[in-house]
Amino acid sequence: IVGGNDIMRMHINIFNSAESIKPIIDKASKHSSKVVLITTGNFNYVSLQPWILKSVFNKRADLLRKAALKLETDYPNYSYVDFYAT
């Protein structure tokens, strides 16, 4: 799970998101036949954060979302749960 704190504190290199996520999927795949990634949703619906930073956090979350979606074609055992679009 990549949560809001990961997005806000940049625990993952979102500008190279796919390369940051691949080692995690590779390692998880060695231990499980199915890997599911869940990331944070749209920050417009989060009430406990500074409103002025919502656009920054949304951009970060969207970059990570797009990278996670692209990886579904590379890993047959990997699924992404898209909370951002809902």
Side-chain angles (χ1 to χ4, degrees), residues 4 8 40-51 54 57-58:
M8 294 187 306
T40 189
N42 188 320
F43 275 86
N44 286 333
Y45 304 112
V46 178
S47 59
L48 298 174
Q49 70 168 345
W51 63 269
K54 283 187 181 186
F57 296 152
N58 270 332

Side-chain angles (χ1 to χ4, degrees), residues 2-15 40 43 48-50 53 56-58 60-61 64:
V2 179
N5 287 337
D6 299 311
I7 299 297
M8 294 187 306
R9 295 181 185 163
M10 293 190 68
H11 291 163
I12 292 179
N13 179 357
I14 58 160
F15 301 108
T40 189
F43 275 86
L48 298 174
Q49 70 168 345
L53 295 175
V56 172
F57 296 152
N58 270 332
R60 290 181 186 177
L64 185 62

Side-chain angles (χ1 to χ4, degrees), residues 1-2 20-39 68-69 71-82:
I1 297 176
V2 179
S20 296
I21 298 169
K22 281 183 179 182
I24 298 168
I25 297 171
D26 288 334
K27 189 170 186 175
S29 295
K30 293 177 184 175
H31 300 284
S32 177
S33 60
K34 187 71 175 167
V35 177
V36 178
L37 177 65
I38 302 170
T39 63
L69 286 169
L71 290 176
E72 283 188 313
T73 58
D74 296 342
Y75 295 92
N77 66 323
Y78 162 75
S79 295
Y80 173 68
V81 178
D82 190 5

